[in-house]
Amino acid sequence: MTGARGVLFDFSGTLFRVEPAASWLRAALAGAGVAAADDEVARLTALLEEAGAQPGGTRPSRVPAHLADVWAERDLGPERHRAAYTGLAREVPLPEESLYEALYARHMEPAAWRPYADAAEVLGELRRRGVRTAVVSNIGWDLRPVFRAHGLDELVDAYVLSYEHGAQKPDPRLFRVACEALGLPPGDVLMVGDNRRADGGAGGIGCAVRLVEHLPVEERPEGLRPVLGLAG
């Protein structure tokens, strides 16, 4: 193990991964009662992925000028987050107007997220070792229900979410809040994430930083254990 007394984890791409875009679209279509042939689903999925309309999914190939400001601040508040992602989705003509809100609502459902295969084991092992943990995420909505639905909430000591604190990673303020929530100095804390720039900001206050690969769940069966030095 690292010798750290506390570990901060990023959410998307680190502990959990959002469902594939085609599954996201199909769930929204079903919820809205809209039928679509497989080839149409595939076509719309590709366009939505290019637009970067799925939170936690593929980043936009480009951000339209009229969305640039809200995109830059998307994780500072629920309304900005919704406006950014529904705005990107509206760059793609969909068969029903209601689908734009249905897509946004779907990504917040616990069923839209899957924990990485070793997430529960790693969080459980840290708890057994007395290592305190927090989730530090750039996000515009409350992710706690996702952890509860997947049985991981009891293994997390604190949640530090950008929209609740008015700061986005790599802003050092968010990492300081997280360390304070664990009652530990930054030098005793490790940050684990998938984004060198955002999560690497923890290094600016003295935390150690280790990165995992942002891969589909099936392609990363044990990415967390190695970076934490835990035996398989």
Side-chain angles (χ1 to χ4, degrees):
M1 181 49 184
T2 63
R5 296 167 58 205
V7 182
L8 311 180
F9 289 99
D10 173 52
F11 167 56
S12 176
T14 300
L15 290 175
F16 281 82
R17 175 72 183 243
V18 74
E19 66 188 327
S23 172
W24 170 62
L25 175 57
R26 287 186 185 279
L29 288 166
V34 178
D38 289 346
D39 59 345
E40 180 66 355
V41 171
R43 185 184 72 83
L44 292 175
T45 295
L47 292 173
L48 288 165
E49 285 189 302
E50 183 179 1
Q54 184 189 25
T58 305
R59 290 180 66 85
S61 58
R62 70 174 187 87
V63 176
H66 69 280
L67 293 174
D69 290 344
V70 73
W71 174 257
E73 298 184 341
R74 64 192 179 281
D75 294 318
L76 292 179
E79 292 308 314
R80 279 173 278 193
H81 195 268
R82 180 184 297 274
Y85 283 103
T86 57
L88 290 172
R90 288 179 188 280
E91 295 296 301
V92 179
L94 296 178
E96 294 285 345
E97 174 66 22
S98 63
L99 284 171
Y100 298 107
E101 287 296 332
L103 284 170
Y104 186 79
R106 169 62 185 179
H107 100 274
M108 293 186 289
E109 295 178 11
W113 294 87
R114 290 176 60 193
Y116 281 94
D118 59 347
E121 291 179 43
V122 164
L123 289 171
E125 179 63 18
L126 293 176
R127 175 57 56 91
R128 285 189 290 275
R129 297 185 183 203
V131 177
R132 296 180 60 77
T133 60
V135 173
V136 184
S137 178
N138 281 351
I139 198 164
W141 51 278
D142 187 3
L143 53 72
R144 294 173 183 87
V146 175
F147 281 78
R148 287 196 293 269
H150 290 277
L152 300 184
D153 182 59
E154 63 184 16
L155 301 175
V156 175
D157 294 299
Y159 295 89
V160 180
L161 311 181
S162 60
Y163 82 97
E164 294 181 336
H165 296 277
Q168 300 176 132
K169 296 181 293 186
D171 190 324
R173 288 179 294 170
L174 212 58
F175 302 110
R176 289 195 186 98
V177 169
C179 291
E180 290 169 4
L182 297 185
L184 295 170
D188 288 346
V189 176
L190 169 67
M191 174 72 210
V192 178
D194 67 305
N195 186 298
R196 186 172 301 278
R197 177 179 178 274
D199 300 313
I205 67 165
C207 296
V209 178
R210 295 191 181 178
L211 299 175
V212 294
E213 292 186 274
H214 186 115
L215 294 171
V217 168
E218 296 79 7
E219 296 178 26
R220 211 193 77 194
E222 54 177 20
L224 292 167
R225 280 196 295 263
V227 302
L228 285 163
L230 298 175

